[in-house]
Amino acid sequence: DGGITQSPKYLFRKEGQNVTLSCEQNLNHDAMYWYRQDPGQGLRLIYYSQIVNDFQKGDIAEGYSVSREKKESFPLTVTSAQKNPTAFYLCASSPTDRETGELFFGEGSRLTVL
Amino acid sequence: GQNIDQPTEMTATEGAIVQINCTYQTSGFNGLFWYQQHAGEAPTFLSYNVLDGLEEKGRFSSFLSRSKGYSYLLLKELQMKDSASYLCAPMDSNYQLIWGAGTKLIIKP
């Protein structure tokens, strides 16, 4: 079945460590996104990519990095520079035609900094 | 700036009807999405409106008025499984979704 797979589902990190969240899709979608969700707030865009080998900063990119070496994969690295990384992270993809295309989400990764 | 306003929480009774309102201000507009999100899970797509009027899809309907910057989601014949957060997300001129904080809907027996 086609879909988006995020891993790990739960992740614990010590302060000062970098961690990488995986996102893989087999929907053949061109565009991929990373969002962060905190309690009581809307989803906030971290990075997005509309084509392989290209990505753009979203509203809260500081302390994060991404790569898009393959169409299917869009990993997110949470670096030690991110001061408050504990959150629920959602990866999504969409077809190129955003005028009618909805977002398809992975199941999310919950990161906790100890 | 861009802003989305929807109630934080609503309570309704099983079998009843509930309307969740959303007002928005965005830089340009290319349609509005409603998503459902159960606690601890990813959002799932409910509806998309780009023209004014009502779109009906089973028990769920969504309405849009572009001139008023207003949308609502109407849920009929409420079931316990409808307890979730409902996210309003207009799309701006760059085709980016602007997300509201969501409305937590509590269904009581």
Side-chain angles (χ1 to χ4, degrees):
Chain A
D1 286 352
I4 301 179
T5 302
Q6 284 186 245
S7 64
K9 192 168 185 177
Y10 298 97
L11 183 62
F12 298 90
R13 184 193 98 174
K14 293 182 179 179
E15 285 192 22
Q17 287 181 333
N18 293 353
V19 293
T20 297
L21 308 181
S22 170
C23 179
E24 303 278 333
Q25 56 102 355
N26 60 4
L27 299 168
N28 199 33
H29 287 168
D30 289 310
M32 297 187 74
Y33 307 80
W34 274 105
Y35 288 95
R36 169 180 172 143
Q37 188 174 36
D38 294 283
Q41 297 190 36
L43 275 67
R44 292 184 290 168
L45 183 63
I46 305 172
Y47 269 99
Y48 66 100
S49 168
Q50 294 180 312
I51 196 169
V52 175
N53 291 323
D54 187 50
F55 49 83
Q56 307 294 329
K57 291 183 179 180
D59 300 320
I60 56 165
E62 185 175 352
Y64 300 98
S65 65
V66 293
S67 63
R68 187 84 187 276
E69 297 176 0
K70 299 186 300 181
K71 187 176 185 177
E72 305 78 26
S73 179
F74 192 42
L76 173 74
T77 297
V78 185
T79 75
S80 57
Q82 171 49 238
K83 297 306 178 188
N84 186 23
T86 294
F88 188 49
Y89 291 89
L90 287 161
C91 180
S93 70
S94 70
T96 303
D97 181 5
R98 285 301 309 278
E99 295 180 6
T100 56
E102 73 216 51
L103 286 180
F104 294 77
F105 285 91
E107 292 189 345
S109 295
R110 189 169 296 280
L111 173 63
T112 303
V113 174
L114 302 173
Chain B
Q2 309 201 95
N3 186 58
I4 314 300
D5 190 25
Q6 47 180 134
T8 302
E9 186 174 297
M10 299 180 70
T11 301
T13 305
E14 191 176 15
I17 299 173
V18 70
Q19 178 173 314
I20 302 174
N21 295 323
C22 171
T23 56
Y24 62 88
Q25 288 179 307
T26 55
S27 301
F29 181 77
N30 282 300
L32 185 143
F33 290 80
W34 283 95
Y35 281 79
Q36 179 191 61
Q37 186 178 25
H38 286 99
E41 299 181 8
T44 55
F45 170 80
L46 288 178
S47 69
Y48 171 66
N49 295 65
V50 65
L51 300 175
D52 289 351
L54 188 68
E55 294 278 344
E56 297 186 74
K57 189 185 292 186
R59 294 190 298 116
F60 293 4
S61 302
S62 55
F63 172 83
L64 176 67
S65 169
R66 290 172 295 172
S67 63
K68 295 182 179 178
Y70 168 70
S71 175
Y72 68 72
L73 182 69
L74 190 72
L75 292 76
K76 303 176 183 177
E77 302 170 15
L78 286 170
Q79 302 175 8
M80 297 304 293
K81 67 179 182 179
D82 296 330
S83 291
S85 288
Y86 291 86
L87 313 179
C88 170
M91 187 182 291
D92 68 11
S93 57
N94 293 320
Y95 294 96
Q96 294 299 328
L97 290 177
I98 311 301
W99 296 86
T103 298
K104 183 178 181 180
L105 178 63
I106 299 169
I107 309 298
K108 295 185 175 179

